[in-house]
Amino acid sequence: MSDTTEWVTVHDTAVTNTNPDSNVNVTLNTEPICRNMTNREFKRLIMKVRDAAVVLVKERLAAVMKWDAHERTRATYFFGRADEEIRSILATGLPKLMSALQELVPEKIVRWDDALNRNLTCSMVPESGMNRASVCKPDSAKRIIAIYSSFCTDPDGNLWQGAKIKTLIHECTHFTDTFDSDDLMYGNGESGMHAFALGNPDKAIRNADSITGYIATFDRTVEI
């Protein structure tokens, strides 16, 4: 296998028999997940993005365990408070989020219109040009993330803005066995999430972008 070769598994077994016309019909969708790269390139990139996301979650978990003045200030910025309830939710949810990220494999990160989505109990939201990704919360155990075209052209690891690494974290916080978060307020920047936290200190800890901001919003770029 060379770096320029694309391989697709079309059937999980290969056998012969003597039955006339005993064929297995297979429909192949050869459209790449992202038009700006091959599927092989996408798989390599998405695993690097996932691994970088795991590192960010590990860093925040270690900080929550210390819970010093700096970390309490950070929690207050994104959640509007830094009491023991907030710390408990983070201490419980972050390890689960890390496990969910580690369970992600390229085959489960698909286009929003991929045939794999037919096995979900939710219908994926159609492409709008603005959406990046989505999950079906009732099917959290399947760990399927559907992505849209904008995800493909986002920066990989620019933590001060929207980036692939933050999108993966955001979507995994939605899983019911991690944070079971909702999209109460969108905002990749710090100021929007801070304003939301000040006005909604009871809701921010359940908001996907607030949790993502707490974990992954910094004035730096993660090399992917």
Side-chain angles (χ1 to χ4, degrees):
M1 183 183 294
S2 69
D3 288 340
T4 59
T5 302
E6 292 287 328
W7 292 84
V8 179
T9 300
V10 297
H11 201 263
D12 56 3
T13 59
V15 296
T16 60
N17 59 51
T18 59
N19 299 325
D21 300 321
S22 73
N23 300 322
V24 175
N25 296 319
V26 178
T27 301
L28 290 180
N29 185 349
T30 58
E31 183 181 353
I33 297 172
C34 286
R35 294 183 179 181
N36 57 342
M37 66 187 81
T38 67
N39 283 347
R40 186 182 183 89
E41 292 169 334
F42 175 81
K43 289 179 179 180
R44 288 178 173 175
L45 174 63
I46 206 67
M47 288 297 94
K48 290 180 179 179
V49 171
R50 180 206 66 179
D51 291 345
V54 168
V55 171
L56 289 173
V57 175
K58 285 182 177 179
E59 290 175 353
R60 293 275 58 78
L61 180 58
V64 168
M65 294 301 100
K66 292 181 179 179
W67 206 237
D68 57 19
H70 179 271
E71 197 61 23
R72 294 196 300 273
T73 298
R74 182 173 181 83
T76 301
Y77 189 92
F78 285 99
F79 303 123
R81 55 195 174 105
D83 53 25
E84 281 304 309
E85 181 185 18
I86 294 294
R87 186 186 186 188
S88 176
I89 291 172
L90 293 171
T92 301
L94 288 171
K96 295 178 179 179
L97 177 62
M98 184 167 60
S99 295
L101 283 162
Q102 290 170 329
E103 290 172 14
L104 288 180
V105 293
E107 292 74 20
K108 295 298 183 72
I109 304 173
V110 299
R111 281 190 314 276
W112 70 273
D113 58 345
D114 193 280
L116 182 60
N117 294 332
R118 297 172 189 169
N119 297 321
L120 300 178
T121 59
C122 306
S123 296
M124 291 295 113
V125 178
E127 175 86 64
S128 71
M130 297 296 292
N131 40 3
R132 262 65 184 173
S134 62
V135 300
C136 179
K137 289 180 69 172
D139 296 313
S140 292
K142 294 182 179 181
R143 297 294 191 247
I144 295 174
I145 298 178
I147 65 168
Y148 300 80
S149 59
S150 294
F151 176 89
C152 300
T153 55
D154 277 345
D156 297 333
N158 294 353
L159 300 184
W160 69 89
Q161 62 179 138
K164 292 183 180 71
I165 188 171
K166 297 175 79 171
T167 296
L168 281 193
I169 292 173
H170 173 113
E171 295 305 326
C172 285
T173 69
H174 283 316
F175 292 144
T176 56
D177 55 350
T178 61
F179 282 95
D180 194 17
S181 68
D182 295 311
D183 291 319
L184 304 174
M185 174 69 179
Y186 286 111
N188 286 313
E190 290 186 43
S191 58
M193 290 298 92
H194 180 50
F196 177 73
L198 291 177
N200 301 274
D202 293 327
K203 294 180 179 179
I205 191 61
R206 297 187 289 107
N207 186 50
D209 263 359
S210 299
I211 300 169
T212 302
Y214 169 74
I215 295 169
T217 296
F218 294 95
D219 187 20
R220 70 175 194 263
T221 297
V222 174
E223 295 298 327
I224 303 297

